[in-house]
Amino acid sequence: MAGPEWLFGPAGDLRPLPPPEGGVVNSVDRFGGIHTAINGGRTVDVLGYRARYEFELPFVPEDEYFRLEALYTLAEPRSLKLIDPMRRNLLSRDASMARPADATQRGLYTDMASHLAWPRIPDSPVSWTTRGAGWTGFGPDSFLRFDRGNRVPVNGQSQLTFSVYLKASVELEVDISLGAFIDNTETDPVPGVQELLPAGEWVRVEHVFDVPVGLHEVSPDLRVVSAEVPTGAYLQVMTPQLEYGDEATAPALGGGAITVAIEDMQTVSPRYPYQSVSLTLLEV
């Protein structure tokens, strides 16, 4: 992606926001909190975390202002995406931590025949987390899907790079591809690479995908292609990452491409015909 641009809009029609003035508020808000009982004991009651962004956009040209107002007033009733140039990992925070998905399919999702846990992994290959997915009960053609409910906008990019740390208990062959979508309709996947994993070793699988023109969103898929899988086999998964470009960088926490809603849009006209806009976006 050329330059540190904040990209905003529906998938398939992301456009740069006008250059912000001053600092951009990019907080992660916590829902719930720490409660103190009468005896002084404390209970951590956290329901979740969501990002919040606040932009000051001075002297917005008329056509760009019309577009922002149309999105705010739902004259364009479409799901909105924000690309944060400060975060290179375009997967969600949950997916980048290999956390099993909830009902929203934000994170890692698998078929009902197998099981995903989220244990601590003492021999973590990265320094900033010891959490990863532990996958058991899988067989030939079993799959893992990454952020199927929080897909990454392609945004006209010709290449995307996926990387993930994998450790199998037995020698295991897997196929990695990209699930592909146009206007929320799934189409033919983007083929990737087959990788033979050794038993008992961490391997960082990396692949650069050539993305066909016209796709709107993608989400990585991993499928077992070994003809036989021994009973009791397991696969550990850590730090999945999807990023723009043709090179896998060091693993990073996700949150680079999020679904948002416009909470507030305040305007003032400093000089005709321009509008200056204060825009608040909330992750949904």
Side-chain angles (χ1 to χ4, degrees):
M1 186 170 58
E5 294 180 315
W6 296 87
L7 302 174
F8 174 62
D13 189 24
L14 287 174
R15 304 181 195 177
L17 282 171
E21 182 178 63
V24 174
V25 174
N26 55 344
S27 298
V28 177
D29 295 335
R30 181 179 66 187
F31 295 89
I34 300 175
H35 308 288
T36 304
I38 294 175
N39 65 1
R42 290 190 171 93
T43 301
V44 179
D45 181 19
V46 177
L47 304 177
Y49 298 86
R50 289 292 184 269
R52 172 173 51 89
Y53 291 86
E54 298 176 11
F55 299 89
E56 297 294 332
L57 308 175
F59 296 96
V60 177
E62 185 179 64
D63 58 341
E64 294 189 39
Y65 174 81
F66 288 159
R67 178 175 183 264
L68 290 174
E69 185 174 296
L71 295 174
Y72 176 51
T73 59
L74 301 182
E76 283 252 2
R78 302 167 68 184
S79 178
L80 302 176
K81 295 284 188 176
L82 178 71
I83 305 297
D84 181 346
M86 306 291 290
R87 293 176 178 266
R88 62 180 178 272
N89 191 348
L90 300 169
L91 297 177
S92 67
R93 287 182 296 277
D94 287 341
S96 70
M97 292 288 292
R99 185 193 293 265
D102 57 16
T104 66
Q105 295 189 23
R106 187 197 312 257
L108 272 61
Y109 169 81
T110 188
D111 54 273
M112 297 300 292
S114 59
H115 176 69
L116 274 174
W118 197 51
R120 295 191 184 278
I121 298 178
D123 64 338
S124 168
V126 297
S127 61
W128 53 269
T129 182
T130 58
R131 284 284 191 175
W135 191 26
T136 57
F138 56 85
D141 289 328
S142 292
F143 62 82
L144 279 179
R145 289 176 173 160
F146 301 77
D147 266 355
R148 182 53 64 105
N150 187 62
R151 299 185 293 267
V152 171
V154 173
N155 187 40
Q157 298 290 318
S158 60
Q159 292 182 313
L160 287 166
T161 298
F162 178 71
S163 57
V164 61
Y165 274 108
L166 300 173
K167 180 182 176 183
S169 62
V170 298
E171 191 174 85
L172 191 69
E173 190 170 10
V174 297
D175 176 89
I176 293 177
S177 61
L178 290 180
F181 297 80
I182 300 174
D183 288 333
N184 284 324
T185 300
E186 190 166 6
T187 184
D188 294 335
V190 182
V193 65
Q194 290 192 1
E195 188 84 14
L196 184 62
L197 305 177
E201 296 180 20
W202 282 109
V203 175
R204 194 182 191 206
V205 178
E206 303 173 0
H207 184 68
V208 179
F209 288 91
D210 293 318
V211 182
V213 175
L215 292 186
H216 290 173
E217 296 174 292
V218 296
S219 63
D221 290 341
L222 181 151
R223 184 172 60 88
V224 176
V225 295
S226 295
E228 296 181 1
V229 177
T231 301
Y234 66 85
L235 179 67
Q236 293 177 310
V237 183
M238 292 195 74
T239 60
Q241 182 155 298
L242 187 65
E243 52 195 312
Y244 292 137
D246 60 358
E247 181 181 359
T249 61
L253 193 64
I258 60 174
T259 304
V260 296
I262 302 177
E263 183 196 37
D264 192 32
M265 179 176 166
Q266 305 260 345
T267 63
V268 61
S269 179
R271 185 174 71 244
Y272 179 85
Y274 297 100
Q275 301 265 29
S276 290
V277 176
S278 297
L279 190 68
T280 301
L281 305 178
L282 300 181
E283 182 182 8
V284 298

